[in-house]
Amino acid sequence: MMNKLAAPFLALLLLAAAGTAAAAGGADVRLEPAPINRLDSASMQRGARTFVNYCLSCHSAKYMRYNRLTEIGVDAAMIQDNLMFASDKIGNQMTIAMTARDAKAWFGAPPPDLTVESRVRGADWLYNYFLGFYKDDASASGWNNLVFPNVGMPHVLWKQAGVGRLVSTEYRNHEEALAAAIAVKGLAVLAPAKDHKYVVETIAVDEPGAMTPAQYKVMVADLVNFLDFMGEPAKNRRINLGIIVLLYLGVLFVFAYWMKREYWKDVH
Ligand code: HEC
């Protein structure tokens, strides 16, 4: 009885799963893992500086107050002198002057608030978003992005990164394309093309920026580390608490074992 009912239900589930896979367009976005470290406060501080200098003009972080930056080791004087606009107070949230309406008119889409962006997209996606910009004369901003096609945001870090170009290589079948995408060892998009062929898309930097590719990746990792902190500031406390708990259990184990030996000494 149960099986008779379960079979069509399972078939339906399978169909639904196949449907979502097809709806995704079949493009396989292979992200490079973000090398971030939540215990590295120097990295988060550098990320905060990049965020304030390059992002806060368009994006707000209105659920974040400046004084929370003390949690990543920035002291109040430094926040006031280096990270805030003169008119702000240290208890203020990170808001911006631009209105959503202006933003929509200028960029086609309003820049979303970034406080919890890392929870929406994940650190790997954010890291690759900043590796994925390339020059595209067909777009309004002059830029396009491999992980966010037709994005309305210009490449605000292009001076550091240099100018990227989209490289699209065609392969006869999926296996060859997949092998090529894996060999990239970094961001690559694998997508079906005409006649059962596949293309692999990557970014090549034509005009080098002020930084080497390795230096630029560190800058982006720091930025993503900070975005990750903003999205979940309490995570650091959890990690630290976890370490303390494990140390405590370690010490407890020594005493428990010692006691066990004492108790059983007389039994044997
Ligand atoms: C010149 C204005 C401008 C600046 C400066 C800017 N952005 Fe954007 N950003 C935008 C706009 C506009 C969008 C919306 C794009 C769209 O939806 O097509 C966007 C989108 C994004 C998104 C994707 C949001 C999503 O999930 O849909 C992320 C992430 C992002 N920006 C991060 C940043 C970071 C980090 C910086 C600083 C390094 C930055 N932006 C600087 C204008 C800007």
Side-chain angles (χ1 to χ4, degrees), residues 115-210:
T115 323
V116 293
E117 179 70 9
S118 69
R119 294 218 208 172
V120 180
R121 297 288 196 176
D124 289 348
W125 189 93
L126 287 169
Y127 182 67
N128 285 266
Y129 176 59
F130 281 98
L131 304 181
F133 279 100
Y134 62 91
K135 196 110 197 77
D136 181 1
D137 296 329
S139 92
S141 69
W143 297 98
N144 207 329
N145 194 291
L146 205 50
V147 298
F148 191 152
N150 304 318
V151 68
M153 172 171 147
H155 188 7
V156 293
L157 300 177
W158 74 272
K159 286 210 179 98
Q160 291 81 0
V163 179
R165 171 173 52 94
L166 182 70
V167 181
S168 186
T169 318
E170 200 172 67
Y171 292 90
R172 279 178 304 183
N173 54 44
H174 185 259
E175 287 74 55
E176 284 178 23
L178 184 62
I182 290 170
V184 171
K185 291 202 171 69
L187 172 61
V189 173
L190 196 157
K194 287 194 302 282
D195 305 326
H196 305 290
K197 290 187 177 139
Y198 279 82
V199 288
V200 172
E201 294 177 326
T202 52
I203 305 287
V205 177
D206 280 341
E207 288 173 40

Side-chain angles (χ1 to χ4, degrees), residues 246-265:
L246 284 179
L247 282 175
Y248 172 76
L249 288 177
V251 172
L252 199 68
F253 173 78
V254 173
F255 283 106
Y257 185 69
W258 182 45
M259 202 154 87
K260 175 220 170 239
R261 288 245 316 239
E262 280 298 311
Y263 279 162
W264 285 83
K265 208 165 55 196

